C-alpha cells in the first residue's frame, strides 16, 4: 500500500474549508465535494439555478480530476447533495446524465440536505480509479 498523495490543484476553486481537492491512495482518487464557486475569483456570487450550479460544480470536479491526472471517465462513485431535493432533482439529473455515457454511469447516492457552504444548492463529490 502506498502513502496517500494530497493534491491542491492550482486552477481548481479555492477551498472553503481545510481540505485537499483530491487525495489519492493506490490509484483511488477521492475528490472533495465541490460547489459552484468560480475558480478564478471565489468572491463572485454563485450562479443562479440548479442547471447553472450543476454545470459549474461538474466543471470544478473535472478540473480537480484533471489536476490529479484523471478525468470523468475514471469516476466510479458519486454523491450529490441538494438543498431543494424535490424542486431540483429532475433538472439536476437531466444535466448530470450528459456528463457520462449511458452504459458507464457511476454508482451514485443523492440526498437532500438542510444547507451547504456559501449558500450553494448542489454539492457533488466523487471517487475515481485510475
Amino acid at each position: 500500500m502506498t502513502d496517500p498523495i494530497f493534491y491542491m490543484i492550482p486552477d481548481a476553486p479555492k477551498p472553503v474549508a481545510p481540505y485537499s481537492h483530491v487525495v489519492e491512495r493506490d490509484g483511488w482518487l477521492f475528490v472533495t465535494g465541490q460547489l459552484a464557486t468560480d475558480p478564478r475569483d471565489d468572491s463572485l456570487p454563485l450562479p443562479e439555478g440548479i442547471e447553472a450550479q450543476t454545470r459549474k460544480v461538474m466543471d470544478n470536479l473535472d478540473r480537480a480530476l484533471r489536476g490529479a491526472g484523471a478525468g470523468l471517465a475514471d469516476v466510479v462513485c458519486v454523491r450529490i447533495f441538494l438543498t431543494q431535493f424535490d424542486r431540483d432533482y429532475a433538472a439536476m439529473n437531466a444535466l448530470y446524465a450528459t456528463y457520462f455515457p449511458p452504459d458507464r454511469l457511476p454508482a451514485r447516492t443523492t440526498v437532500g440536505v438542510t444547507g451547504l457552504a456559501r449558500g450553494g444548492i448542489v454539492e457533488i463529490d466523487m471517487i475515481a480509479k485510475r
Side-chain angles (χ1 to χ4, degrees):
M1 197 174 262
T2 60
D3 287 337
I5 302 168
F6 299 89
Y7 294 93
M8 290 304 296
I9 309 304
D11 70 339
K14 180 180 173 188
V16 299
Y19 57 76
S20 299
H21 288 116
V22 180
V23 176
E24 180 175 3
R25 180 98 187 231
D26 296 325
W28 289 98
L29 301 167
F30 301 89
V31 185
T32 295
Q34 293 294 307
L35 297 166
T37 53
D38 190 301
R40 291 171 300 281
D41 184 354
D42 71 341
S43 69
L44 294 173
L46 301 183
E48 293 291 323
I50 191 63
E51 290 91 352
Q53 284 202 22
T54 300
R55 266 189 212 92
K56 191 55 156 168
V57 167
M58 293 300 290
D59 175 65
N60 289 342
L61 288 161
D62 187 52
R63 286 171 181 268
L65 284 164
R66 283 186 288 115
L72 290 172
D74 299 307
V75 174
V76 296
C77 188
V78 174
R79 289 186 302 186
I80 301 172
F81 306 90
L82 298 170
T83 61
Q84 300 293 320
F85 193 95
D86 291 337
R87 180 191 75 189
D88 292 337
Y89 185 70
M92 182 279 304
N93 272 328
L95 185 58
Y96 171 89
T98 68
Y99 288 88
F100 301 99
D103 62 338
R104 291 188 51 90
L105 296 170
R108 194 181 103 179
T109 299
T110 306
V111 296
V113 297
T114 59
L116 294 169
R118 300 273 322 268
I121 58 176
V122 59
E123 182 172 346
I124 302 174
D125 69 11
M126 296 179 162
I127 301 171
K129 177 76 165 114
R130 285 187 204 282

